[in-house]
């Protein structure tokens, strides 16, 4: 489970926001990428943070 989000353009990393005490993950919700709670989209979603004008991506292990 990725705990960091990374900018695909400049490589900057930020901690993945948490929900219910665990890092959220990127998942398609209604056709667009959102941060989703590990408990599911019904529990919580958030916008994927932007960096350098593009949505950030989950950093590898
Ligand atoms: Zn939650
Ligand atoms: Zn950037």
């Amino acid at each position: 489970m990725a705990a960091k989000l990374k900018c695909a353009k400049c490589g900057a990393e930020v901690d993945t926001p948490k929900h219910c005490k665990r890092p959220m993950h990127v998942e398609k919700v209604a056709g667009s990428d959102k941060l989703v709670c590990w408990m599911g989209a019904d529990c919580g979603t958030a916008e994927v943070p932007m960096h350098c004008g593009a949505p950030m991506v989950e950093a590898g292990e």
Side-chain angles (χ1 to χ4, degrees):
M1 185 180 297
K4 297 245 181 210
L5 294 172
K6 187 175 185 180
C7 174
K9 295 193 178 180
C10 77
E13 290 187 357
V14 299
D15 287 335
T16 304
K18 289 184 177 164
H19 206 277
C20 301
K21 300 181 181 175
R22 292 203 204 172
M24 300 175 87
H25 63 275
V26 178
E27 189 176 305
K28 280 229 187 294
V29 177
S32 54
D33 284 340
K34 302 274 187 196
L35 289 174
V36 176
C37 176
W38 64 278
M39 293 280 286
D42 288 345
C43 183
T45 62
E47 295 298 323
V48 177
M50 303 287 287
H51 207 277
C52 297
M56 298 184 85
V57 297
E58 287 173 317
E61 291 288 304

